Amino acid sequence: MFAILLLFAVGAGVLWKLSDNSTFETTFYRVTSEKIGENIRAVVLSDLHNNVFGQDNERLC
C-alpha cells in the first residue's frame, strides 16, 4: 500500500513540474480609446523567478 501511495505522489510531482511556469504564454488585447492618440504596445513579463530560459539563462528580449 505504501509503495502505491509513493508512486502516486511521485507521479503527481512530475505532472506538477511539467505544468510549471517554464513556458511563455502570449495574450493579445486590443483596446481602443479616444484618449489615446497613437498606437502603443505594452509588454508584461511576470512570475519568471526560479526559471531558466535558453542556454545559460540567456537574456530575454
Side-chain angles (χ1 to χ4, degrees):
M1 182 68 173
F2 178 74
I4 293 172
L5 289 174
L6 182 61
L7 183 62
F8 178 75
V10 169
V14 168
L15 288 176
W16 176 77
K17 183 61 181 168
L18 289 175
S19 67
D20 195 16
N21 291 338
S22 59
T23 60
F24 287 109
E25 179 179 323
T26 306
T27 306
F28 293 94
Y29 295 100
R30 183 178 299 267
V31 179
T32 57
S33 173
E34 294 177 3
K35 296 179 181 180
I36 301 174
E38 59 187 55
N39 292 334
I40 61 170
R41 181 175 290 188
V43 176
V44 177
L45 295 174
S46 64
D47 292 335
L48 298 178
H49 57 277
N50 294 330
N51 286 312
V52 176
F53 295 95
Q55 185 176 2
D56 297 324
N57 209 19
E58 62 190 24
R59 268 186 72 176
L60 299 175
C61 53

